[in-house]
Structures are given as C-alpha cells and as structure tokens.
Amino acid sequence: MAPKLGILAGSGELPLRLIDACRASGRAVFVLGFEGAADPANFAAVPHASIRLGAAADGLKILRENGVEELVMAGPVRRPSLASLMPDRRAAKFFARIGLRALGDNGLLSAIIAELEIEGFRVVGADSILATLLAPEGALGRIEPDTQALADIARGLEVARALGALDVGQAAIVQQAIVLGVEAVDGTDALIRRAGPLRREGVGGVLVKIAKPAQERRADLPTIGVATIEACAVAGLRGIAVEAGAALIIDRAEVAAAADRTGLFVVGVKPT
Amino acid sequence: MAPKLGILAGSGELPLRLIDACRASGRAVFVLGFEGAADPANFAAVPHASIRLGAAADGLKILRENGVEELVMAGPVRRPSLASLMPDRRAAKFFARIGLRALGDNGLLSAIIAELEIEGFRVVGADSILATLLAPEGALGRIEPDTQALADIARGLEVARALGALDVGQAAIVQQAIVLGVEAVDGTDALIRRAGPLRREGVGGVLVKIAKPAQERRADLPTIGVATIEACAVAGLRGIAVEAGAALIIDRAEVAAAADRTGLFVVGVKPT
C-alpha cells in the first residue's frame, strides 16, 4: 500500500486530478494548499490545510502531524518578491543559504525540493501518481500541423529552449516566423491572451510549450488542459505543440475533444 | 557637401530629429514614410512621400526621381505577415529569394539593406547623421543603480542577449531576479505596460535594452526617449540600462532631465 500522499497545491486542475487518482486507488491523501493560489473549497472532501508561502516551519509541522511521507507539488503558485514573502525563521534561513536574489523559478523549485528531502520527505512527480498525464508523441486530436505550422513549431522550440536554459519561461507563440510573445513570470495564460491582439493576417500562430533544459521534473512540468485549448482558440492560434514525455496534459481525452471542436491541433514533439 | 539624404521613416521621434540635423547643417533631405507607421503630417515642412510597405518598385522609383543617393532607416515599423503585405512583383521576388518564412526582424532588415545597396543606394546608420544619439557609458542623470539594480541589470543583460541571439527582441524587465517580461514583436512600449501589473512588492524592476549580437547597426538600433522614461515610471520601474555605444537616446538632455524628475536611473552599460 502506498504511503499517504501530501499534495502541495497551487492553482488549477492538477491537484484535483491527483486527488481523484489517489481516491480511485484507495490511497490516503492530505492537501496543503498555498494561500492565494489554491482554493480550499476545492479540497473540502479530503483532509487539508492552508498556509501562506513564507510559513515554512508551520508547513513542515502540519505535514508531519498528518503523517505525510511522500510529497507531490501540483499547480502553479505566483512567485512573490522576497519583500512580500514574509519568510518565517525557517524560510529565511533557507533563502539566505540558496541566494534567492539570483534564482529563476526552476532553480528555486529545485532548491525547495532538495530542502524537503533533507527534512525527510520523499518528493515525487505528478506523472508518477497519474501516468496518463504525460504528453504522448504525435497529434492528440484529428488535426495535424501543416508545413507553415511545422516551421513555426521549430522556431518556437528554438526560442523556448533558449528561454528555458535561462530559467525564464517555458513557452513561446510564433505566427508565420514572427515571435508574437514569450512567456516570463506572467505565465502561459497571460502569454496567450496578449498574443491575440498581436495576431497578423493569414494563418494563425502556434503555442510551443516545453520543459526547461535543466527542468526539475518533480515540479512545474509544462502543463496544458482544456482551458488552454479554449484560450488558444480565442486568441486565433492554430495549435499547440508540447514536449512529448515531459509535458502534462490534464484530461487527455477532453483536451483531444476540445482541440477537434475548436479546429486546433495538439501535438507532442521531441525537441532535437 | 553631403548628398541628399533619403529618410525611410517609421513611427516615433527619430525621423524628426534626423530632419532637424539635416536642416541645421543645410543638407537636402527627402522623406519616404511607410503608411501605417509614419504620419505624413510630421513631414509637411520637407519634401516627402508615402508608400505602403509592399510597394518596393514604387518606393525605389520615388527615391531615384527625388535624387536620393544616401539612405537612413529611422523609426519602428510594425512587421506585417506575408499575407497582409501585398508585395508588388519587385518585393515578391525579393521575399522569395530571402526566404521570409524563417527570418527574424534583424535578418529581414539586413536583407533589405543589402537589397537597397544592390540598387545603388548607400545606407548609413542614424548615428552617423546625429552622433549624439549613441548612448554613452555610465549614468545619464543624477541617479545611479544600487546593488540589487546591478544584479537585475546583469540578469536582464543575460536574458536580452539570448533573445537577441535568436533575433526575437532587444529588451527584458527584471525585478529582484524575477523576469517580469521579455520583448517580442510587441515592442518595448508594450513590454513596459504589461510589466506594471506584474510588479512585486519591494524595490522595482529594471528595463534592459541592448543590440542583438548580430545587429545590423544601420537599422533598428535599440532606442529610448523621454516617453520611455515616463512609461517606466508609470510601470513602477526604477531605471533603464541600455547598451553604451549601441543604443540610441533621443534628446539626451531631456531624457536625463526626465530621469531625474521621475527618480529613475538611466545608465549606459557595456555587456561583457
């Protein structure tokens, strides 16, 4: 029997899908939601608690009191400045040691995971709880990218890889070789929204979303879901390319159906 | 006596400053403005004409008929898709040869300049007309960046250099190590506007704007002016770092005064 799973929950659907997977397999679960990101009302059916991001000591205590041994991080959390984080003594010690001033998101998350393991927790990736999350290679729905879309995907991969290498973001939108936007701290949803008004005439653009080259695979894997498809359709995009084997697709069948319904392609690609 | 200067005019202040410089030195000038970017009303005092971007044959004919030998490109032009460009036969031949589908802005501008030189024009940089445009090293106003600002500038330089190497954009905004945004086709003004709501608590961010590593120096050098300072102040930024010797500062004295007035620093740096 798998030990009780602690879910460190941010926003979005992923924490809910992991809860569903645990309940389906009879695995005990405890949710620790981050204030401002996770909505506690979503977790009413399972044991849960909320803490603010800077409250490291309380967080560790709550996890131990609830018998959590294994942890998974799920769902995005808006990264605050050090000034607004109000770290407790435990968190302040950690930040002083890692040098927060210079870390990108992936560097920060990797350091947090290392710290949780020092504290005796095992940290696993969301895809180890729910294997069907990982994007397969090839088209998910009926529509396949054409020649211009493939060229835009190649350009998007090049740009997203360079950005990811600098730990800036995971996504780029390219239309007819023009880079309409790249993701930074604003996130993929904001990137898609701002690409809409930048759209040029002719065939639409492509969202490319891949893992960072040094991606900590147990946190913040690139993720898309039905809402991503719908936002891309509204913004006039033609499709989405994600990294096969390294991006999470929440509700694969529903994503495929949404892609077919909106006329978009969703394709898993292997960056070369 | 310098030959008549043809100004290929986009939007913004730069074409006007070049006209002023020519009139001050008694040099003859002819302005060819691009529809949708340059406002013909700005050029009422000098000989001028307007064409749409795709009308290459007409443009070349107008320049020759007006006795232009030397050309300068000044001011941004919104890049259209091939679908909306409606290239004439001359332009279509050019695009077919250069492979527009895969070119970034800098690649495209370099190809256009090479083409203009094949047509017999000499193309010069705006800084050769008005030498005081080039950003000097060091602080322009009274305020200097502090330690956190210097760290944010270093991070911004790293990000902008990587983006520029891929011919995506020239600018990034960093606050306390968090990359709030990077410039793509939307341009620097839009980047500054969208960074405002992403601002974290504590000391504000820094705009870093540098030339692309393979920058064609006769087109699209990174440019700032008084409006840039004012937009940065509204967005809660603390300052601007530009590349010394490779960025253009329009109205240097007014920019320094605006920086002092709004409490921002403006500093010319040499990327290492």
Side-chain angles (χ1 to χ4, degrees), chain B residues 27-63:
Chain B
R27 183 171 184 183
V29 65
F30 177 81
V31 179
L32 187 60
F34 293 112
E35 287 172 13
D39 179 358
N42 284 336
F43 312 120
V46 293
H48 67 279
S50 288
I51 51 158
R52 61 177 190 81
L53 269 184
D58 283 353
L60 294 167
K61 185 157 164 273
I62 292 170
L63 292 173

Side-chain angles (χ1 to χ4, degrees), chain A residues 3 220 224:
Chain A
D220 196 31
I224 64 163

Side-chain angles (χ1 to χ4, degrees), chain A residues 79 101 148 177 182 200, chain B residues 79 81 101 148 177 182 200:
Chain A
R79 180 172 170 173
R101 225 170 267 274
Q148 176 68 59
V182 292
R200 268 53 177 167
Chain B
R79 180 170 170 175
S81 67
R101 222 170 268 274
Q148 175 69 59
V182 292
R200 268 53 178 166

Side-chain angles (χ1 to χ4, degrees), chain A residues 15-158:
Chain A
L16 305 175
R17 292 300 163 278
L18 296 179
I19 293 170
D20 294 343
C22 287
R23 297 178 87 180
S25 66
R27 182 172 183 181
V29 66
F30 177 80
V31 178
L32 187 60
F34 293 111
E35 287 172 12
D39 180 357
N42 284 336
F43 311 121
V46 294
H48 68 280
S50 287
I51 51 159
R52 61 178 189 81
L53 268 183
D58 282 354
L60 294 168
K61 186 157 163 273
I62 292 170
L63 293 173
R64 290 211 176 88
E65 284 174 356
N66 284 279
V68 168
E69 293 173 29
E70 200 165 278
L71 281 174
V72 65
M73 302 173 93
V77 172
R78 184 178 186 277
R79 180 172 170 173
S81 68
L82 199 46
S84 62
L85 188 61
M86 295 184 297
D88 64 13
R89 284 179 58 164
R90 180 69 188 79
K93 216 176 87 183
F94 168 66
F95 290 133
R97 198 173 70 241
I98 63 168
L100 183 60
R101 225 170 267 274
L103 282 182
D105 281 358
N106 193 53
L108 177 58
L109 288 167
S110 300
I112 290 172
I113 287 176
E115 195 74 5
L116 288 168
E117 300 210 304
I118 290 169
E119 289 284 345
F121 297 100
R122 218 173 19 259
V123 182
V124 299
D127 55 308
S128 79
I129 312 292
L130 189 57
T132 54
L133 282 172
L134 277 184
E137 212 167 340
L140 212 64
R142 279 195 315 268
I143 302 161
E144 304 260 358
D146 62 16
T147 310
Q148 176 68 59
L150 289 173
D152 287 346
I153 290 171
R155 176 88 168 119
L157 286 173
E158 175 186 60

Side-chain angles (χ1 to χ4, degrees), chain A residues 93 195 210 255:
Chain A
K93 216 176 87 183
I210 61 173
V255 164

Side-chain angles (χ1 to χ4, degrees), chain B residues 59-147:
Chain B
L60 294 167
K61 185 157 164 273
I62 292 170
L63 292 173
R64 289 212 176 87
E65 283 174 356
N66 284 279
V68 168
E69 292 173 29
E70 199 165 276
L71 282 174
V72 63
M73 302 173 92
V77 172
R78 182 177 188 278
R79 180 170 170 175
S81 67
L82 198 48
S84 61
L85 188 61
M86 295 184 297
D88 63 14
R89 281 179 61 163
R90 179 68 187 80
K93 215 176 87 185
F94 168 66
F95 290 133
R97 197 174 72 242
I98 63 169
L100 182 62
R101 222 170 268 274
L103 281 183
D105 281 358
N106 192 54
L108 177 57
L109 288 167
S110 301
I112 289 172
I113 287 176
E115 194 75 5
L116 288 168
E117 300 209 304
I118 290 169
E119 289 284 346
F121 298 99
R122 217 173 19 259
V123 182
V124 300
D127 55 308
S128 79
I129 312 292
L130 188 56
T132 54
L133 281 173
L134 276 184
E137 211 167 341
L140 213 63
R142 281 195 314 269
I143 302 162
E144 303 260 359
D146 62 15
T147 310

